[in-house]
Structure formats: C-alpha cells, structure tokens
Amino acid sequence: MSYVAPAIKDKFETLSIDLKNAILERNVEIYNIQDLIHVLEQIVSEGTQEEQEQQEQQKV
C-alpha cells in the first residue's frame, strides 16, 4: 500500500488523477519532494522504453 506524507500531499494532489493512480499502484512511500520526483522519473523512463519498443516493432 502506498503512502504519501502530509508534508507532500499538497504537491501530490496537483497531479492528474491518472498520474496519481499510476503512482499509488506502485506501492511506494513518498515522504518528500525527492521521493515524488524519483517515482515520476521511473514512470517517464518506463513510458519511454515502451514507446521505443513499439517503434521497433513497427519497423519489422
């Protein structure tokens, strides 16, 4: 189960519902802005990898 600390909750709530759900599905603990940024970077990285894989499949 994910946890978002009260100190960072206001920043977390500014995100889109889809992004908040993606974060919460990861079962992470977010205590500060650095934790939030780290999870967001992971999501972006995974999205970039998926996009590259799709592009490679289209070339075949």
Side-chain angles (χ1 to χ4, degrees), residues 16-52:
S16 72
I17 189 74
D18 291 335
L19 194 49
K20 287 189 279 190
N21 287 338
I23 292 168
L24 294 174
E25 289 171 359
R26 294 171 173 269
N27 297 321
V28 294
E29 295 180 355
I30 301 173
Y31 294 99
N32 53 49
I33 192 73
Q34 290 82 11
D35 294 341
L36 180 57
I37 290 169
H38 180 70
V39 175
L40 293 171
E41 287 174 339
Q42 288 177 336
I43 292 170
V44 169
S45 176
E46 290 170 8
T48 302
Q49 288 175 352
E50 288 176 12
E51 186 176 300
Q52 288 174 348

